[in-house]
């Protein structure tokens, strides 16, 4: 059982004190825990289902307000970046959720406390638990405090996760949809270990180059290089 000290520390990091601590315990309970503790009746999958929807609504509403001139496609991509599994897993680790997880002995020994899918489900379940324990304005404030500046988060995440998309978004308002062009300028090595060098051009101007073991990776590296120096 997770100790009271761990739960108190976790609530401080979450920025929310539960009126019904049992909700937090349920959010931290992985289904495997019930194998060793059959008297425990609930695990976190229902809360995860609820929390996923609440999180998407909060992010949708916040992005809609933060970027009033952006189209729905851009907003959808940005929401996906902020709600994807890898980001939620890291957020769970940053908040110390791993320390509070309730797992079976075998799952814990197998490294479940650091398993990405378990941490992602847990943070979404915590969102659901906070929502049930309070109300929509409260859970909204809690979530947005975790994220901090959405624009700041996105500036880091979008460049890392989707440099080609980010570069396209920067270029499109001034130059249109077809101004960017990626060109393989060199390919070396045997067929099974090919390395590509790709240049990205804005019309006739070269913005950057990148190298990778596939054309896709090289194009992303070129876009990332372009983002470091790009000006309209």
């Amino acid at each position: 059982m997770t100790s009271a000290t761990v739960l108190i520390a976790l609530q401080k990091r979450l920025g929310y004190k539960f009126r019904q601590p049992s909700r937090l315990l349920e959010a931290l309970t992985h289904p495997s825990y019930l194998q060793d503790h059959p008297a425990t009746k609930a695990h976190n999958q229902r809360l995860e289902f609820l929390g996923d929807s609440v999180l998407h609504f909060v992010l949708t509403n916040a992005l809609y307000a933060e970027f009033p001139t952006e189209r729905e496609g851009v907003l959808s991509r940005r929401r996906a970046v902020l709600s994807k599994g890898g980001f939620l897993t890291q957020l769970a680790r940053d908040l110390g959720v791993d320390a509070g997880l309730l797992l079976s002995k075998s799952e814990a020994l197998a490294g479940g406390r650091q398993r990405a899918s378990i941490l992602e489900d847990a943070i979404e379940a915590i969102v659901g638990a906070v929502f049930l324990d309070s109300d929509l304005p409260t859970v909204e404030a809690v979530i947005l405090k975790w994220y901090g500046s959405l624009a700041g988060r996105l500036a880091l995440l979008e460049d890392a996760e989707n440099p080609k998309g980010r570069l396209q978004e920067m270029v499109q308002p001034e130059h249109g949809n077809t101004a960017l062009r990626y060109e393989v300028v060199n390919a070396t090595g045997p067929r099974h270990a090919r390395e590509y060098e790709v240049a990205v051009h804005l019309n006739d101007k070269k913005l950057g180059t990148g190298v990778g073991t596939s054309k896709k990776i090289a194009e992303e590296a070129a876009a990332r290089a372009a983002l470091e120096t790009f000006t309209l």
Side-chain angles (χ1 to χ4, degrees):
M1 176 66 70
T2 297
S3 70
T5 302
V6 171
L7 291 179
I8 290 170
L10 178 56
Q11 288 177 89
K12 287 182 179 179
R13 287 192 294 271
L14 293 173
Y16 180 78
K17 183 177 181 181
F18 279 81
R19 290 179 289 184
Q20 296 185 47
S22 60
R23 295 194 191 278
L24 177 57
L25 280 174
E26 183 178 338
L28 295 169
T29 303
H30 185 257
S32 68
Y33 185 78
L34 276 62
Q35 299 170 11
D36 296 346
H37 303 83
T40 301
K41 301 301 182 184
H43 53 70
N44 65 8
Q45 288 187 335
R46 280 174 54 84
L47 282 175
E48 182 269 330
F49 168 76
L50 175 62
D52 176 69
S53 295
V54 173
L55 179 64
H56 273 73
F57 173 78
V58 169
L59 290 175
T60 299
N61 190 43
L63 289 167
Y64 186 86
E66 181 80 14
F67 303 102
T69 63
E70 292 289 12
R71 296 160 299 151
E72 65 275 15
V74 173
L75 295 176
S76 293
R77 288 196 299 274
R78 289 180 173 175
R79 183 182 60 192
V81 168
L82 293 171
S83 62
K84 68 183 301 183
F87 177 78
L88 294 182
T89 298
Q90 188 57 52
L91 181 62
R93 291 188 178 119
D94 292 344
L95 291 169
V97 171
D98 53 313
L101 289 171
L102 296 174
L103 307 167
S104 69
K105 183 177 180 180
S106 61
E107 184 63 58
L109 289 173
R113 205 167 293 280
Q114 292 302 317
R115 198 181 307 280
S117 59
I118 291 176
L119 289 167
E120 178 187 351
D121 287 351
I123 196 67
E124 290 178 336
I126 289 171
V127 170
V130 174
F131 174 68
L132 291 179
D133 197 66
S134 57
D135 51 33
L136 184 57
T138 299
V139 73
E140 183 175 35
V142 169
I143 291 170
L144 294 180
K145 185 177 180 181
W146 295 347
Y147 277 79
S149 166
L150 293 185
R153 285 277 191 184
L154 286 164
L156 294 174
L157 292 170
E158 287 183 321
D159 289 354
E161 297 284 342
N162 184 19
K164 290 179 66 177
R166 179 63 175 157
L167 184 61
Q168 179 67 34
E169 286 181 15
M170 294 177 68
V171 166
Q172 184 175 333
E174 183 75 17
H175 298 278
N177 292 321
T178 60
L180 284 178
R181 173 173 55 88
Y182 292 85
E183 177 187 7
V184 176
V185 295
N186 196 21
T188 59
R191 186 180 296 274
H192 66 278
R194 188 79 74 180
E195 184 174 80
Y196 296 90
E197 181 181 0
V198 169
V200 58
H201 299 264
L202 174 58
N203 296 319
D204 295 326
K205 178 184 178 182
K206 185 168 74 173
L207 299 181
T209 60
V211 175
T213 54
S214 70
K215 293 178 184 179
K216 180 177 183 293
I217 293 173
E219 288 176 358
E220 290 176 345
R224 197 171 288 113
L227 286 167
E228 293 178 0
T229 58
F230 178 74
T231 56
L232 286 173

